[in-house]
Amino acid sequence: LISQVTLLLRLLRICGTKRHTNTRHLSIAVAISLVSGNILSILRRAAMVKVEFDLEGVQGLITVVIVLSGVYNLCSFCWGCCCCQKRQPPAPVPEEPTGAVQVEKVRVDGEEVPVGHLRRYKDVKTCYWLWLGGGLFGAHHFYLDRFVHGLLAALSLNFFFCGWLMDMLTIPVLTRSFNKEVHKAALNDGSCRRLCCFLPMSSVVIFGLIMGTYMGVPTLVKTSGLVDLDQKLAGTALNPYDILELPRGMRISAADDFDKMKKAFDDRVNELDKMQHCVQGTKECRKMRQQLTKAFRYVSTHQSEVLDKMKADKLAKEKKDARKKGKKTAPVPPPASEDDWQEHLNWEWTMLAEIVSNNIQTLGDHIQSYFE
């Protein structure tokens, strides 16, 4: 995949020049991309099988070289798009009379029209960027004002990927066909320069929004009081932190944090033992002790019976799917560390999705019963 993306960037640079717009260079670049990708796939598979010599070092070296080449091609391509206009010599500025603003006009169909009002030339590099990023939804067709084709591509994933592959070969032809209908005095739209200059910034912003949503939504749900995820995951009657009288969301970040949790647990147990009805060992007292034990286990290790059941169900489902596909069951992965916050965050999302699904199902049942 890395080699194919790398050579695709090289392909974009070739097709971007006026001297190399034929399909011969295109077919050669695609063939080299596929061959190099297959070679890397063979090396990767060979490294995963026990053979007489080790190929991991060779595969790693090839991968590093290709990654560096890809970074170089990406930087050079973006630099060429961003700075292509700066390399051109500035156009001479005509002398303007005082108090008047001269606007360059051209005659179209017998009428004088400002150059800025003309339809502008489309850039083949922009087409390839849109094809690579949103080609399955016809983004490059919308860019070339092919609205019907773009709409059909958006509804059918670009004709079930077949149109996406064919567009890789026909984009230069489509771009030239569009530019033939543009007036000779029209300007270039400069979309490639804007796209390449703002693409890194927009990518960082989008990645930040995705990560912020991924990490912040469970916390926002818990702090707003909509759903008590800690209570659901711990399997307790109340919030586990409230049961132990600890601040919510407390984690073991320092050496004495666990001691504080243990002390809070011991204090609650001692208070429970001093109660009149707990001396006789009633059923209610045993339930309260179980609640304290569940709460302490959850806040100290982020483990609980609910999480154990969810993990067991997930593992059983994976084994069942593997048997259906005729594959060997994968070995059970080692248990995650107690401080694996990412895994805990994934389980919070799983629980949140389950709660939302149950609420939607309950709402649907109520609506159905109302109409019946």
Side-chain angles (χ1 to χ4, degrees), residues 60-108:
L61 180 61
I62 294 177
T63 304
V64 169
V65 172
I66 291 178
V67 168
L68 294 177
S69 177
V71 172
Y72 170 76
N73 284 317
L74 179 61
C75 294
S76 60
F77 181 74
C78 293
W79 180 264
C81 286
C82 291
C83 303
C84 58
Q85 297 182 0
K86 296 180 181 180
R87 295 175 182 175
Q88 299 176 358
V93 180
E95 296 183 359
E96 301 179 357
T98 306
V101 178
Q102 295 291 334
V103 179
E104 186 177 357
K105 296 183 179 181
V106 294
R107 184 171 294 276
V108 180

Side-chain angles (χ1 to χ4, degrees), residues 156-291:
S156 61
L157 290 180
N158 207 337
F159 303 99
F160 305 102
F161 295 89
C162 296
W164 186 74
L165 295 175
M166 293 180 61
D167 290 341
M168 180 177 62
L169 303 175
T170 58
I171 279 179
V173 179
L174 296 176
T175 307
R176 287 198 300 270
S177 177
F178 178 89
N179 291 335
K180 285 181 181 178
E181 301 178 0
V182 180
H183 197 276
K184 294 181 180 180
L187 304 174
N188 196 309
D189 62 355
S191 56
C192 183
R193 180 174 179 269
R194 295 195 301 269
L195 184 64
C196 292
C197 290
F198 292 103
L199 183 62
M201 183 183 301
S202 60
S203 301
V204 172
V205 172
I206 293 173
F207 178 76
L209 290 175
I210 293 175
M211 292 302 299
T213 303
Y214 170 70
M215 300 176 62
V217 168
T219 305
L220 180 62
V221 169
K222 289 187 291 185
T223 55
S224 62
L226 294 175
V227 178
D228 196 344
L229 293 177
D230 291 328
Q231 176 189 351
K232 299 290 185 181
L233 292 175
T236 54
L238 300 175
N239 188 282
Y241 295 96
D242 295 344
I243 293 176
L244 298 177
E245 297 182 3
L246 292 172
R248 292 194 178 188
M250 181 179 180
R251 297 181 180 273
I252 303 178
S253 57
D256 57 342
D257 288 341
F258 180 79
D259 297 335
K260 293 179 182 179
M261 296 178 180
K262 187 67 169 63
K263 184 178 182 302
F265 172 72
D266 294 337
D267 293 341
R268 302 291 86 73
V269 172
N270 293 332
E271 292 177 2
L272 188 64
D273 292 338
K274 294 178 181 179
M275 293 183 180
Q276 183 68 25
H277 63 278
C278 286
V279 177
Q280 301 175 0
T282 59
K283 185 177 180 180
E284 182 182 357
C285 183
R286 289 195 298 270
K287 288 184 178 179
M288 295 176 64
R289 191 181 295 273
Q290 290 177 357
Q291 293 289 314

